[in-house]
Amino acid sequence: MKTLDTRDLYKRKCELESLRDAVTTAREELKKKKGILAALKETPENEASEAALEIASEEVTDAESNLEAAESDFGDDEKTELEELETLKNEISDFKHGETMIPENDFEDYARELAEDIGAISGNEEWPCNCIDWERAARELAMDYSTVEYQGDTYLVRS
């Protein structure tokens, strides 16, 4: 069973936000550098030296490279993932501090493991205790959980 811990997802969300912010910063820096270059080009030749124009032009080129690198680190896939994580953050009350997301298809196994973990069963039961209807037990346990979608899968999370 592959459960997800929202603390890990929160950490990933922070990483993606940093990548997004790097793109914003790189865009702002490029705009600033282009503005300086444009101003130098409009300055009369005797006031704007060739060296200053060359430096400003190189800075624009560097800023363009920085923006390209930042955008390659934060592309469409990362944008989509960040949007999904923002949605989860809004749907899960304790997203930052940790909730377990259990895949819907594994919830019956989760119910059985939970019963063992809390001592309700030992896992070595004999008749009649080995005749538990785990599908029904999982359905009843699910009443305390809500469903969320993440990357195309449905998970149950404690409400």
Side-chain angles (χ1 to χ4, degrees):
M1 160 177 19
K2 184 165 184 336
T3 61
L4 298 176
D5 187 324
T6 60
R7 289 173 291 197
D8 296 330
L9 297 177
Y10 177 77
K11 190 177 184 183
R12 176 65 177 153
K13 179 180 163 300
C14 291
E15 291 169 2
L16 291 169
E17 288 169 339
S18 292
L19 294 173
R20 178 199 58 204
D21 295 346
V23 170
T24 301
T25 300
R27 279 192 186 122
E28 291 168 357
E29 188 65 20
L30 177 59
K31 183 179 178 182
K32 180 176 132 186
K33 298 293 182 186
K34 282 183 172 181
I36 292 169
L37 180 60
L40 283 172
K41 286 181 177 180
E42 292 180 10
T43 304
E45 283 185 39
N46 58 353
E47 292 179 26
S49 73
E50 282 293 317
L53 282 169
E54 189 175 322
I55 291 170
S57 181
E58 287 173 7
E59 288 178 349
V60 166
T61 301
D62 290 345
E64 287 172 338
S65 294
N66 290 341
L67 176 57
E68 187 177 311
E71 287 176 334
S72 73
D73 289 341
F74 188 73
D76 290 339
D77 291 343
E78 289 79 12
K79 288 176 189 173
T80 300
E81 184 180 0
L82 181 57
E83 289 170 2
E84 280 188 295
L85 291 171
E86 282 290 336
T87 300
L88 278 181
K89 180 182 131 301
N90 294 331
E91 291 178 346
I92 300 172
S93 61
D94 209 6
F95 182 79
K96 181 178 179 179
H97 297 103
E99 287 290 346
T100 301
M101 294 172 51
I102 304 107
E104 183 178 50
N105 294 338
D106 295 336
F107 199 71
E108 188 176 320
D109 292 336
Y110 173 79
R112 187 176 299 116
E113 288 177 20
L114 179 63
E116 288 175 13
D117 290 347
I118 64 172
I121 62 169
S122 69
N124 298 323
E125 283 73 26
E126 295 181 14
W127 185 89
C129 294
N130 64 352
C131 299
I132 294 174
D133 180 352
W134 287 110
E135 184 179 338
R136 179 178 172 202
R139 234 185 2 260
E140 289 188 19
L141 179 63
M143 299 292 213
D144 294 334
Y145 289 72
S146 55
T147 58
V148 294
E149 298 291 324
Y150 179 63
Q151 296 188 337
D153 294 318
T154 302
Y155 293 86
L156 284 100
V157 181
R158 191 123 178 116
S159 300

